[in-house]
Amino acid sequence: MFKLLNFLRLHHWIKNFLIFVPIIASHQLDIITVKNSILAFISFSLIASCGYIFNDLLDVNADKLNPYKKKRLFATGAISVKQSLIIITILLSISIYISLKINFQFFLILFFYFIFSILYSYLLKKIIVLDIIVLSSFYNLRIFAGSLATEITISLWLFSFATFFFFSLAAVKRLTELTYLIKNKKNKIEGRGYKAIDLPIINLMSLCSGYISIVVLALYINSPEVMILYSNPLYLWGICCVLFYWITMIILEANRGNMHHDPVIYASTNKVSYICLLTILLFLIAGIY
């Protein structure tokens, strides 16, 4: 059972909490918006698992050579293609049914995400830089999906912040792979277009994009729009400080080889990240009240 849950990448479902961002950012926490956000979370999580299974199927040869991925069910031969297709069909059917219960616009974005994720697994992940852009767009799609599910329009500020912030995290993901490459004296990532010599530029991309996202947040704090939602917006500056620390720490950890895969998954198991999240929530509450 545990292996099946790991096969579905349940630990990656944490990313789908981004669906709740629109109702949190707009402060519209009512029964309808919360209900639709929960349904959207379930639907998106199930279809995301379908994408992960497809990715594992296509990456099986590369995973066998990776010390952290070689225990995946496809890599070990513990599950067949036929069995995986049955699982995908079941998950896809449930996800589509729930999405149509929400609204047709949400179904469309869900369908677009699924097709886009398959295209990424099959082709786009092999194209340098473009793969990072696509990875970061998957995060934005989750926020957009939450917006469509609740019919809450996301602001340009939120979209701009998310674009730069998640581009930084997507670059960190490649950074971890390149660090592993150098550590094991290899030259090229299997199934990707990156080489060991690309490490400095990927480092620069992650740092610059992460810091730009903080600048966007700082500009938002000084905008007229913030006065509508926050009684004490000065407290929001504390969030900028925490994010500056967290982004820098995450990139340092990746460079030291302490992060094996996805930075979001790493953060979900890291005590310092939880402290940072709690601190951000406290600053957010202080800003509201």
Side-chain angles (χ1 to χ4, degrees), residues 164-165 168 205-215 247 251:
F164 287 108
F165 182 74
S168 176
M205 287 164 61
S206 57
L207 273 171
C208 290
S209 188
Y211 291 161
I212 289 173
S213 71
I214 299 172
V215 173
I247 289 170
I251 294 173

Side-chain angles (χ1 to χ4, degrees), residues 149-287:
T150 56
E151 298 182 356
I152 296 173
T153 303
I154 56 174
S155 69
L156 182 60
W157 290 110
L158 175 58
F159 180 78
S160 300
F161 169 80
T163 297
F164 287 108
F165 182 74
F166 291 121
F167 183 88
S168 176
L169 293 189
V172 170
K173 186 172 183 178
R174 289 292 173 261
L175 185 61
T176 61
E177 295 173 344
L178 287 171
T179 303
Y180 165 77
L181 207 67
I182 294 171
K183 184 179 179 181
N184 290 274
K185 298 179 180 180
K186 295 183 178 180
N187 183 54
K188 189 176 181 181
I189 301 176
E190 187 70 27
R192 304 288 190 273
Y194 296 97
K195 297 180 179 180
I197 58 173
D198 297 327
L199 183 62
I201 188 66
I202 300 299
N203 244 321
L204 190 62
M205 287 164 61
S206 57
L207 273 171
C208 290
S209 188
Y211 291 161
I212 289 173
S213 71
I214 299 172
V215 173
V216 172
L217 179 58
L219 292 173
Y220 169 68
I221 294 171
N222 285 281
S223 70
E225 292 93 331
V226 79
M227 299 302 296
I228 300 173
L229 296 172
Y230 298 92
S231 302
N232 301 291
L234 282 177
Y235 284 106
L236 300 182
W237 282 101
I239 298 177
C240 293
C241 296
V242 175
L243 283 178
F244 186 85
Y245 165 78
W246 185 80
I247 289 170
T248 307
M249 180 202 71
I250 282 289
I251 294 173
L252 283 173
E253 287 292 285
N255 274 281
R256 291 175 178 178
N258 297 330
M259 191 185 306
H260 297 154
H261 298 304
D262 197 302
V264 176
I265 304 305
Y266 173 81
S268 68
T269 59
N270 178 257
K271 292 180 180 179
V272 176
S273 295
Y274 279 111
I275 294 172
C276 289
L277 177 60
L278 179 60
T279 306
I280 287 173
L281 290 175
L282 290 175
F283 278 124
L284 190 63
I285 293 170

Side-chain angles (χ1 to χ4, degrees), residues 20-275:
F20 294 94
V21 167
I23 64 173
I24 294 173
S26 64
H27 304 173
Q28 295 187 41
L29 296 169
D30 55 66
I31 295 176
I32 296 176
T33 56
V34 172
K35 175 189 173 184
N36 284 345
S37 293
I38 292 173
L39 289 174
F41 172 83
I42 296 171
S43 180
F44 212 97
S45 296
L46 293 176
I47 208 161
S49 288
C50 293
Y52 296 141
I53 294 173
F54 266 114
N55 185 70
D56 285 355
L57 181 60
L58 294 171
D59 263 1
V60 62
N61 292 326
D63 287 349
K64 289 178 180 179
L65 301 175
N66 190 299
Y68 305 114
K69 299 179 181 181
K70 65 182 181 181
K71 294 182 180 179
R72 289 178 176 177
L73 296 189
F74 275 130
T76 60
I79 193 168
S80 67
V81 174
K82 183 179 179 180
Q83 289 172 321
S84 65
L85 290 176
I86 292 173
I87 294 172
I88 288 174
T89 302
I90 294 172
L91 296 180
L92 200 59
S93 299
I94 297 173
S95 179
I96 291 173
Y97 174 78
I98 295 174
S99 68
L100 290 172
K101 282 287 185 180
I102 299 172
N103 59 55
F104 188 68
Q105 288 75 19
F106 176 76
F107 164 75
L108 288 178
I109 196 68
L110 194 74
F111 179 76
F112 175 76
Y113 169 83
F114 181 65
I115 298 300
F116 203 31
S117 65
I118 299 302
L119 185 61
Y120 168 79
S121 297
Y122 185 73
L123 175 65
L124 300 179
K125 68 181 180 183
K126 300 175 184 177
I127 306 174
I128 59 171
V129 182
L130 180 61
D131 67 316
I132 297 178
I133 294 173
V134 173
L135 271 178
S136 62
S137 71
F138 285 152
Y139 291 105
N140 274 346
L141 279 173
R142 288 170 166 88
I143 297 175
F144 191 49
S147 170
L148 292 177
T150 56
E151 298 182 356
I152 296 173
T153 303
I154 56 174
S155 69
L156 182 60
W157 290 110
L158 175 58
F159 180 78
S160 300
F161 169 80
T163 297
F164 287 108
F165 182 74
F166 291 121
F167 183 88
S168 176
L169 293 189
V172 170
K173 186 172 183 178
R174 289 292 173 261
L175 185 61
T176 61
E177 295 173 344
L178 287 171
T179 303
Y180 165 77
L181 207 67
I182 294 171
K183 184 179 179 181
N184 290 274
K185 298 179 180 180
K186 295 183 178 180
N187 183 54
K188 189 176 181 181
I189 301 176
E190 187 70 27
R192 304 288 190 273
Y194 296 97
K195 297 180 179 180
I197 58 173
D198 297 327
L199 183 62
I201 188 66
I202 300 299
N203 244 321
L204 190 62
M205 287 164 61
S206 57
L207 273 171
C208 290
S209 188
Y211 291 161
I212 289 173
S213 71
I214 299 172
V215 173
V216 172
L217 179 58
L219 292 173
Y220 169 68
I221 294 171
N222 285 281
S223 70
E225 292 93 331
V226 79
M227 299 302 296
I228 300 173
L229 296 172
Y230 298 92
S231 302
N232 301 291
L234 282 177
Y235 284 106
L236 300 182
W237 282 101
I239 298 177
C240 293
C241 296
V242 175
L243 283 178
F244 186 85
Y245 165 78
W246 185 80
I247 289 170
T248 307
M249 180 202 71
I250 282 289
I251 294 173
L252 283 173
E253 287 292 285
N255 274 281
R256 291 175 178 178
N258 297 330
M259 191 185 306
H260 297 154
H261 298 304
D262 197 302
V264 176
I265 304 305
Y266 173 81
S268 68
T269 59
N270 178 257
K271 292 180 180 179
V272 176
S273 295
Y274 279 111
I275 294 172

